Amino acid sequence: IADIYDLNPQQLAALPRLGDKSAANILDGVRASKSVPFERVLFALGIRFVGETTAKYIATHFRTLDAIAAATVEELSEAEEVGAKIAVAITEYFADERNQQIIERLRAAGLQLTAKEREQASDALAGLTFVISGSFANHSLDELKALIEANGGKNLAAVSANTSYLLAGDKIGPAKLQKANKLGIKIISEDEFIAMIGDTSQAEPSTPPQDIAPQPSATDK
């Protein structure tokens, strides 16, 4: 993956169906990736069992990639959402000399390997956990996740007994909806969520969340 940051316009422009403009656009995207937050860089490393949500918890707990790399299995297991299996996979990843070399090249390229402090907007969602599924009219998934965390809540990857709310949009995955109904998890709409954090400027009357019809989703797990 570090090879991407060594590309130059001449290499790209010489490829079939690419020219100077396409090469420039690709390199603009590569440069922009250097400002991607640390938790997404950690996720993108492709460490076994470390999904997007787990990467975020690990980044929040340890703050830097160096701290994660130096942590023991026991120390890693202290982070939220990290069990023994994930902790072992992380230590194995960082023990691999090839991975160490890749990380040093990414560091030299200027990627974000330290978590930035996030401003807390409120504690309106303190102690609450959310699972998000579907598509939404006014916010992307990343924006909703950021709002949850900025207001003191936590994001979960899957519906479980520990889930406070399922934030449901259009084309919600049927498996998540069915599990939420089975466990008695409250299902809320985008407008209801916005009202929860006190931003009523975007909230409009919505259909009762239980009436949302599940739609097949190729990405639902």
Side-chain angles (χ1 to χ4, degrees):
I1 189 173
D3 291 345
I4 293 173
Y5 297 93
D6 293 333
L7 291 172
N8 62 56
Q10 293 74 29
Q11 288 173 309
L12 289 168
L15 294 173
R17 303 175 69 95
L18 287 180
D20 292 338
K21 184 176 180 179
S22 295
N25 289 338
I26 292 171
L27 291 178
D28 284 345
V30 171
R31 281 189 288 271
S33 73
K34 296 180 182 181
S35 63
V36 168
F38 169 50
E39 62 264 23
R40 294 188 71 96
V41 175
L42 180 61
F43 168 55
L45 290 177
I47 302 172
R48 193 179 185 193
F49 307 127
V50 177
E52 183 179 1
T53 300
T54 303
K56 188 171 294 185
Y57 285 130
I58 296 171
T60 299
H61 186 91
F62 288 97
R63 311 300 301 169
T64 72
L65 191 68
D66 288 340
I68 297 170
T72 64
V73 170
E74 292 74 19
E75 290 168 337
L76 288 164
S77 298
E78 293 175 2
E80 194 164 357
E81 297 284 307
V82 177
K85 181 173 70 172
I86 296 175
V88 169
I90 294 171
T91 57
E92 289 177 347
Y93 176 89
F94 286 104
D96 190 318
E97 186 176 348
R98 294 168 298 179
N99 294 331
Q100 295 172 15
Q101 293 171 353
I102 289 172
I103 289 169
E104 289 310 308
R105 291 176 63 195
L106 295 176
R107 190 194 306 276
L111 272 72
Q112 302 297 312
L113 303 182
T114 299
K116 293 181 179 179
E117 293 293 336
R118 291 186 176 180
E119 185 177 346
Q120 192 77 12
S122 78
D123 59 358
L125 307 179
L128 300 177
T129 57
F130 294 79
V131 172
I132 306 174
S133 183
S135 58
F136 300 86
N138 300 311
H139 300 85
S140 67
L141 292 179
D142 285 343
E143 288 170 342
L144 289 170
K145 288 179 180 180
L147 283 171
I148 288 169
E149 293 176 0
N151 288 278
K154 293 183 179 180
N155 292 291
L156 300 178
V159 175
S160 70
N162 296 322
T163 304
S164 304
Y165 295 96
L166 172 61
L167 177 49
D170 294 333
K171 299 181 180 178
I172 179 175
K176 285 179 177 162
L177 185 60
Q178 290 164 7
K179 190 166 186 179
N181 285 326
K182 181 179 180 180
L183 294 173
I185 305 300
K186 186 170 182 180
I187 303 166
I188 59 173
S189 68
E190 180 181 16
D191 292 333
E192 289 168 319
F193 168 74
I194 293 300
M196 286 178 69
I197 60 177
D199 185 358
T200 57
S201 62
Q202 300 182 59
E204 298 176 356
S206 62
T207 303
Q210 286 77 8
D211 293 341
I212 298 173
Q215 298 293 328
S217 172
T219 59
D220 187 69
K221 297 181 181 179

